[in-house]
Amino acid sequence: MVIVMKPQATQEDITGVEKLLERLNLGVHISEGSERTIIGVIGDKRQLAETPLELMPGVQRIVHIVEPYKLAGRAFHPKNTKIQVGNEIIGGNKVLVMAGPCAVESEEQLMSTARFLKTQGATFLRGGAFKPRSSPYSFQGLEEDGLKILAEAREETGLLIISEAVSTRSLELAAKYVDIIQIGARNMQNFSLLQEVGRLKLPVMLKRGLSATIEEWLNAAEYIMSEGNYNIILCERGIRTFETYTRNTLDLSSIPAAKELSHLPVFADPSHGTGRWELVTPMSRAAIAAGADGITVEVHPNPKEALSDGPQSLNFDNFTELMIDIRRIASILGREM
Ligand code: PEP
Ligand code: MN
């Protein structure tokens, strides 16, 4: 349920409602818009049956939300959420590009990629230090050494960094270095990890689970938000379907759907979404055309030698072409890049 306050409601009116809800042991989440304040109420609302909230000073109306997610939904926060990371705003008019190797493999590999990406106008450097591999015998990542190399690349190039946490221990380590924490598809429903991330102040990129519906994905965001962290970027990264030619099926329709249902920024990952580098640029164009706030793309100096996800990684020449293409799409849509 959300309580929509009148535009002229005073701070005293808002505090009055807040105090009443707290007395009833209900969770209160305040969203202050430029025109009005919206109060999200979480918990067992049966006890409110006897309380005429509509009559309280400053209250305009009560909206009952049928979706299981509340804080992640548009009703609670009608305007798009904008997340400031460094000097960049995620969820605004600018199309943002996160790029980098699937995994940080060495200082040389990451630094050369970062220097190249900087010249191309990418804003975020991605690279896994903890890799959730399908096989326990595959390369599992450089762990903290990988995070240190990412931080070094940020120092030199000014690119902001994003890396994945796969457990509570890796989250603690990653949080010391990164600008954005990534929660991967395989952990989208690791609810205790989501709650841990929710207690951090760092922005989070939440990837859609391999077989998650849009509702399950938004419920995962709700887990993080219910702990107080509202800085979430959703990322469509392809889902399992009967198709095997592509690694996953990039669900382009989930981009406008998630943006309609939620106020959170939505990114697309055409690398994991297709598993084939040749399809990455066309699907990046399509994702931006479908309204994505940005993309995250795997780039490697020599994809044939990549320790993970080489077949879906772009080399430097391919990435240069991708940037030219999506700049064109962005410009048609009146978006900055
Ligand atoms: C990744 O971004 O490298 C990754 C493992 O992605 P996903 O969780 O979407 O598979
Ligand atoms: Mn990968």
Side-chain angles (χ1 to χ4, degrees), residues 102 126 131-132 164 182 184-186 207 237 269 272 298:
C102 178
R126 60 146 290 148
K131 293 307 303 173
E164 178 169 356
Q182 177 170 312
R186 289 158 194 79
K207 299 189 92 177
R237 49 78 70 205
D269 172 352
H272 295 87
E298 288 184 338

Side-chain angles (χ1 to χ4, degrees), residues 77 86 111 132 235 254 265 269 334 336:
H77 196 289
M111 295 307 282
C235 180
S254 82
D269 172 352
E336 296 155 50

Side-chain angles (χ1 to χ4, degrees), residues 234-248:
L234 299 167
C235 180
E236 163 61 45
R237 49 78 70 205
I239 48 172
R240 275 269 158 92
T241 66
F242 55 82
E243 182 55 71
T244 53
Y245 178 74
T246 44
R247 180 177 177 184
N248 291 292

Side-chain angles (χ1 to χ4, degrees), residues 27-335:
V28 182
H29 296 263
I30 309 237
S31 165
E32 271 173 40
S34 51
E35 280 159 34
R36 64 180 80 235
T37 294
I38 293 178
I39 305 176
V41 188
I42 310 284
D44 183 355
K45 287 171 283 293
R46 276 174 299 187
Q47 41 192 336
L48 281 176
E50 310 286 299
T51 318
L53 277 173
E54 286 94 339
L55 301 182
M56 290 191 72
V59 172
Q60 183 156 59
R61 64 176 192 279
I62 310 294
V63 182
H64 294 280
I65 302 179
V66 286
E67 288 82 15
Y69 50 85
K70 320 274 178 215
L71 306 174
R74 277 258 176 224
F76 171 58
H77 196 289
K79 287 205 175 138
N80 288 342
T81 281
K82 293 185 180 160
I83 304 173
Q84 171 134 22
V85 188
N87 290 327
E88 299 292 343
I89 304 279
I90 300 178
N93 189 45
K94 186 172 172 189
V95 172
L96 296 165
V97 177
M98 299 178 177
C102 178
V104 181
E105 298 170 3
S106 67
E107 190 173 350
E108 159 63 23
Q109 170 241 23
L110 194 81
M111 295 307 282
S112 60
T113 310
R115 287 181 195 122
F116 162 73
L117 293 173
K118 182 71 185 176
T119 66
Q120 294 301 310
T123 27
F124 294 88
L125 174 66
R126 60 146 290 148
F130 300 91
K131 293 307 303 173
R133 303 304 300 282
S134 300
S135 161
Y137 309 117
S138 304
F139 174 61
Q140 303 285 313
L142 296 182
E143 306 202 344
E144 191 167 10
D145 287 342
L147 294 168
K148 285 185 179 153
I149 299 173
L150 281 165
E152 205 182 302
R154 172 179 50 204
E155 188 70 28
E156 188 190 306
T157 62
L159 289 170
L160 296 158
I161 58 179
I162 167 164
S163 198
E164 178 169 356
V166 293
S167 61
T168 312
R169 185 185 79 87
S170 59
L171 179 62
E172 257 172 45
L173 280 172
K176 289 202 275 182
Y177 296 91
V178 303
D179 300 293
I180 304 178
I181 289 276
Q182 177 170 312
I183 295 295
R186 289 158 194 79
N187 276 311
M188 190 209 82
Q189 284 189 319
N190 181 341
F191 297 120
S192 55
L193 185 62
L194 298 180
Q195 283 168 327
E196 292 280 345
V197 180
R199 292 192 272 270
L200 294 180
K201 289 285 158 275
L202 274 178
V204 188
M205 185 157 90
L206 177 66
K207 299 189 92 177
R208 181 176 178 188
L210 276 73
S211 320
T213 63
I214 294 171
E215 185 170 295
E216 286 163 341
W217 187 24
L218 296 177
N219 271 328
E222 188 80 11
Y223 259 93
I224 300 174
M225 298 179 87
S226 67
E227 294 293 330
N229 188 348
Y230 292 5
N231 294 325
I232 302 172
I233 304 144
L234 299 167
C235 180
E236 163 61 45
R237 49 78 70 205
I239 48 172
R240 275 269 158 92
T241 66
F242 55 82
E243 182 55 71
T244 53
Y245 178 74
T246 44
R247 180 177 177 184
N248 291 292
T249 296
L250 188 70
D251 180 8
L252 285 172
S253 59
S254 82
I255 299 168
K259 289 193 74 75
E260 188 182 320
L261 297 169
S262 173
H263 49 89
L264 298 170
V266 182
F267 269 52
D269 172 352
S271 305
H272 295 87
T274 63
R276 290 175 174 262
W277 72 266
E278 305 93 316
L279 305 184
V280 170
T281 295
M283 293 314 268
S284 300
R285 294 196 298 256
I288 303 300
D293 293 286
I295 53 170
T296 173
V297 178
E298 288 184 338
V299 178
H300 194 284
N302 186 358
K304 286 202 174 63
E305 283 178 11
L307 296 182
S308 64
D309 288 350
Q312 66 193 37
S313 299
L314 298 182
N315 63 25
F316 291 179
D317 286 347
N318 300 144
F319 183 76
T320 306
E321 284 167 23
L322 176 145
M323 289 298 277
I324 293 171
D325 274 19
I326 61 169
R327 278 207 165 91
R328 288 199 186 117
I329 303 282
S331 138
I332 291 169
L333 296 171
R335 301 194 56 191

